[in-house]
Amino acid sequence: MEIEQKNQNNNNFEDIMELFEIDYIYENKPIKRTIYEPSLKDKQSLLENLKLKIQNISNCELKKNSKQIVFNDGDPQSPIMIVGEGPGQKEDEIGKPFVGDAGVLLNKMLEAINIKRSKVYITNVVNYRPPNNRKPQLSEINRYAVFLREHINIIDPKILILMGSTAMEALFGQTLKISEERGKWKEVIINQKTYKIILTFHPAYLLRQPDQKKYSWEDLKMIRKRINELKISF
Ligand code: URA
């Protein structure tokens, strides 16, 4: 009866505490939610784990025929992540992505919009060199896409640049055509996180088809514009 009366008479929090003889202090303030932003150390250990997982892959023709894993290059804290297709001969020898002719062109493309290669993060869809540099098969793309998605979640870039059809297929399947989809901002959700993506031609394709460079330049300008809008400084 006494409780009822007190509750009816007022909703005063302290009175209720006293009535029930509760003596701890409860701060009725909104919870300040912090967004989880992994530090460089966290990212490095997540990357090491992912690399190990890929190194433990079994029954993979790519792994069997290559010299070593080609996992990444650049800054894991970068807001820009670039995804290529897979290692070529030079990458297989050195163990880093984009160090051959396509890499030289990639560096120039980045410089053209005032970005140093060391300031971005670079990886590929498949992490082992396909025999004779063939395009990875769909089953291989799909198998490695699981790792790629995890890789993107770890790096958590503000801008994701997919270079070429293999990178496009890894995240969007085989329904799109790079010639139609390049130069458009898209979004992809990975593990409940939305990423801004732009598709563009692969530098190796541009080496074979230099007349397509004009389109690539348009894409690069769009990327630069977005960098400026996001106030990303390097
Ligand atoms: N082409 C790619 O897609 N990745 C590399 O690392 C090298 C060439």
Side-chain angles (χ1 to χ4, degrees):
M1 183 62 197
E2 194 198 343
I3 292 173
E4 245 171 46
Q5 229 171 356
K6 263 211 143 175
N7 277 341
Q8 271 168 12
N9 289 348
N10 65 64
N11 280 329
N12 186 298
F13 187 72
E14 278 79 32
D15 287 346
I16 296 170
M17 298 275 280
E18 195 190 322
L19 186 63
F20 289 103
E21 296 177 352
I22 300 169
D23 61 4
Y24 60 84
I25 305 294
Y26 170 75
E27 279 198 68
N28 194 18
K29 284 184 191 160
I31 300 165
K32 194 178 166 209
R33 297 189 190 280
T34 48
I35 296 165
Y36 174 63
E37 280 188 3
S39 68
L40 181 58
K41 218 169 138 218
D42 295 335
K43 277 192 181 179
Q44 271 160 347
S45 78
L46 291 168
L47 289 171
E48 267 315 304
N49 263 342
L50 176 63
K51 189 175 174 185
L52 269 177
K53 249 196 259 182
I54 300 172
Q55 282 171 321
N56 285 331
I57 199 170
S58 56
N59 298 323
C60 174
E61 205 198 330
L62 308 182
K63 181 180 164 185
K64 266 185 229 152
N65 289 290
S66 62
K67 290 197 170 84
Q68 59 180 318
I69 189 167
V70 175
F71 186 62
N72 64 356
D73 193 28
D75 177 7
Q77 298 287 64
S78 177
I80 298 180
M81 178 171 186
I82 296 176
V83 181
E85 178 176 287
Q89 186 184 359
K90 196 123 187 223
E91 289 78 18
D92 189 35
E93 274 159 23
I94 294 175
K96 274 189 185 178
F98 283 101
V99 288
D101 292 344
V104 172
L105 180 55
L106 173 62
N107 298 350
K108 285 186 187 158
M109 288 162 70
L110 293 172
E111 274 164 27
I113 52 167
N114 271 322
I115 302 174
K116 279 200 191 114
R117 176 195 166 110
S118 59
K119 301 286 180 186
V120 300
Y121 186 84
I122 306 176
T123 190
N124 282 310
V125 174
V126 299
N127 306 99
Y128 292 100
R129 181 191 178 197
N132 303 316
N133 295 346
R134 65 160 170 76
K135 180 175 160 61
Q137 292 160 1
L138 183 60
S139 58
E140 293 163 340
I141 294 175
N142 290 340
R143 193 171 184 194
Y144 279 85
V146 176
F147 301 127
L148 177 63
R149 293 163 78 85
E150 190 175 331
H151 211 153
I152 294 166
N153 274 153
I154 296 171
I155 299 303
D156 193 19
K158 293 202 166 61
I159 295 174
L160 182 55
I161 304 171
L162 301 182
M163 294 191 140
S165 60
T166 299
M168 180 184 73
E169 287 164 18
L171 293 191
F172 293 97
Q174 281 194 312
T175 51
L176 306 181
K177 275 189 170 172
I178 184 108
S179 55
E180 288 168 9
E181 303 299 328
R182 55 141 285 276
K184 296 177 194 167
W185 288 107
K186 297 185 179 298
E187 285 185 349
V188 77
I189 301 172
I190 303 174
N191 206 5
Q192 295 167 19
K193 175 103 215 244
T194 306
Y195 296 94
K196 288 266 178 228
I197 289 191
I198 190 158
L199 301 169
T200 192
F201 289 137
H202 192 288
Y205 171 75
L206 296 174
L207 289 173
R208 295 193 301 274
Q209 306 280 340
D211 57 314
Q212 301 293 300
K213 283 185 183 171
K214 52 183 178 288
Y215 301 113
S216 173
W217 178 229
E218 294 306 314
D219 302 348
L220 288 167
K221 283 191 287 184
M222 285 178 70
I223 294 166
R224 183 70 243 183
K225 189 164 172 264
R226 178 59 59 97
I227 290 172
N228 295 347
E229 282 164 5
L230 294 175
K231 299 191 171 34
I232 295 172
S233 55
F234 294 97

